[in-house]
Amino acid sequence: MICFSGSQGQVLRKKYQEGQTLRVSCDYNPQRDEKRWKTWCKVREDGKACDRLITRTSALTWQRWDSRISLEDDTYSGNFSITLSKLRVNDSGIYWCGIYDPVSDTTVVLRTISLEVSPDQKGSPPKYSQTTAEMHTTNLVTPVTISSSGCSAGQVFFWAGVLLGREEPL
């Protein structure tokens, strides 16, 4: 199940060229979610599942085969940031940052990002950010089920295939 919180399912549209670096900031309630799992995932084309690319707890980080992605969590301010460096055209798609609960296999989506990466037209060498790889795991798919229960007060449930919203800066 997917629950939308924060921006209430609004889509942040970002356009980049190959080689550039995407940085996304996601706010959460530090008193409630400080020790919960923060995650960054890419929504599958069918909109029915999200492949988690990186998930971090207070002690461990799981990352799916891509050292270009990093997640930094500031539990004091209630904000985590995702960096995806050396962007490629095939990175284009819909992404979610959120709080993942492995027990109920649910994700509360804090922010939805629609990323469009176009080929580098300049031919100049891109500037890269340095990231490090962490531990790998294979159980990184969050399935989506249609249900109106399970979202806590103040959250809005959305079917994952319906991702409409407005553009806004980070």
Side-chain angles (χ1 to χ4, degrees), residues 53-68:
L53 303 174
I54 189 167
T55 301
R56 183 173 186 161
T57 66
S58 55
L60 298 170
T61 300
W62 291 269
Q63 189 162 350
R64 178 176 249 183
W65 310 292
D66 197 339
S67 63
R68 300 176 305 135

Side-chain angles (χ1 to χ4, degrees), residues 12-88:
L12 176 64
R13 300 183 194 288
K14 304 299 285 177
K15 294 184 179 186
Y16 287 86
Q17 287 190 334
E18 281 182 306
Q20 292 183 316
T21 298
L22 170 71
R23 289 180 183 83
V24 176
S25 178
C26 299
D27 295 321
Y28 63 90
N29 181 326
Q31 288 80 30
R32 183 187 64 221
D33 299 328
E34 172 186 1
K35 296 184 181 189
R36 297 188 61 200
W37 297 31
K38 284 60 169 204
T39 194
W40 172 252
C41 64
K42 186 172 184 180
V43 179
R44 292 184 180 177
E45 286 188 29
D46 64 5
K48 295 181 180 179
C50 188
D51 295 313
R52 284 183 284 121
L53 303 174
I54 189 167
T55 301
R56 183 173 186 161
T57 66
S58 55
L60 298 170
T61 300
W62 291 269
Q63 189 162 350
R64 178 176 249 183
W65 310 292
D66 197 339
S67 63
R68 300 176 305 135
I69 303 168
S70 64
L71 188 155
E72 297 297 323
D73 186 12
D74 181 350
T75 56
Y76 180 76
S77 68
N79 177 279
F80 68 95
S81 59
I82 292 94
T83 303
L84 176 54
S85 62
K86 303 175 190 173
L87 288 171
R88 304 172 187 148

